[in-house]
Amino acid sequence: MPPPHGPLSLPARLWLLAQDTGRPAVEDAAPAQRLVRAGALAELVRLGLLVDDDGIVTPADLDSRTGDAVLDGLLDLVRESLPHGWRTWVRLRARLTSDAAREQLVVRGWLRAERKRVFGVFPSVDHRLASPERVAALRDGTRRVLYGPVPAEEVGERDAAVAALAGAARPRALTGGARRAPSGERIDRLAGRAAGPPDAPRIVRELCAALAPAATGAAARV
């Protein structure tokens, strides 16, 4: 069944962008998990449900819900946890958000869950892209935003946020291995298109900084 039409949330789009359509199995490594988490944080900022309180990620209230399991799961996690800054939340238990996004993509038809047994004994599940060509089209569109001639100010707000975060993280599936890294200035201008409260662009820039390979490498060594 082909994936349905309709808008994907930022974390769902970023989950797909981190995948290599040339591989038979879908990978879900730590850098991809952090990218998905950053997308969920940016989406909640856009919706006004997470705000910045002197650098601390803070729920706007204790009751609001989005109806999206990925976003609501992160909202609950932030509400139940000790206070942390944006960079910490990019990596802290990021797999929870990534796994939720993956399951959402299964339900929506973008992924196929294939059950198997490891060594013929242990049950496991492989997740495969249901429509690699659609994911490739999504990836090519994001590449055009990152590398193309269209001024950042003319890029749609959601496309700009996706491209800024993905460009900062530089997943191999997006940058194409030998392809030059996206311009830092371009990423900064795209982040400046972030929709939401007045400080949304600054927060997205903070998330981009947390995703940069040098930053994630330093965090892994802590």
Side-chain angles (χ1 to χ4, degrees):
M1 179 181 67
H5 295 284
L8 288 170
S9 67
L10 261 62
R13 288 176 65 178
L14 290 166
W15 198 99
L16 292 169
L17 284 172
Q19 310 311 312
D20 185 344
T21 55
R23 293 178 178 270
V26 175
E27 297 179 353
D28 193 15
Q33 294 167 8
R34 291 190 286 265
L35 176 56
V36 174
R37 168 60 66 76
L41 290 167
E43 191 87 290
L44 288 168
V45 168
R46 182 184 69 83
L47 294 171
L49 297 178
L50 285 181
V51 299
D52 183 279
D53 184 3
D54 197 22
I56 298 300
V57 181
T58 306
D61 59 62
L62 297 179
D63 301 312
S64 295
R65 312 292 288 177
T66 68
D68 181 294
V70 178
L71 301 179
D72 288 340
L74 179 53
L75 268 179
D76 289 340
L77 185 60
V78 174
R79 287 167 177 154
E80 295 165 2
S81 301
L82 294 172
H84 295 292
W86 298 97
R87 295 196 186 202
T88 298
W89 271 118
V90 166
R91 65 178 187 273
L92 185 63
R93 301 175 69 184
R95 180 165 189 161
L96 294 176
T97 301
S98 183
D99 286 352
R102 184 190 64 206
E103 295 311 307
Q104 186 179 76
L105 288 164
V106 171
V107 171
R108 296 195 59 181
W110 286 85
L111 296 176
R112 295 195 310 268
E114 300 179 353
R115 300 186 181 279
K116 67 175 185 178
R117 288 190 177 272
V118 179
F119 304 122
V121 177
F122 304 105
S124 182
V125 178
D126 274 346
H127 292 88
R128 300 173 184 266
L129 298 174
S131 182
E133 62 275 11
R134 283 183 180 266
V135 178
L138 177 65
R139 179 192 61 209
D140 292 344
T142 304
R143 281 179 175 170
R144 286 194 294 272
V145 171
L146 277 172
Y147 297 102
V150 177
E153 294 73 18
E154 297 179 14
V155 177
E157 292 170 345
R158 289 173 62 78
D159 289 343
V162 166
L165 293 169
R170 299 183 209 168
R172 182 180 179 85
L174 178 66
T175 58
R179 182 185 288 264
R180 62 182 173 83
S183 160
E185 179 183 358
R186 178 71 169 180
I187 291 173
D188 184 74
R189 293 174 73 88
L190 289 169
R193 293 279 295 145
D199 60 350
R202 178 184 61 79
I203 293 172
V204 173
R205 290 186 176 109
E206 182 82 0
L207 297 174
C208 287
L211 289 170
T216 55
R221 291 192 294 272
V222 172

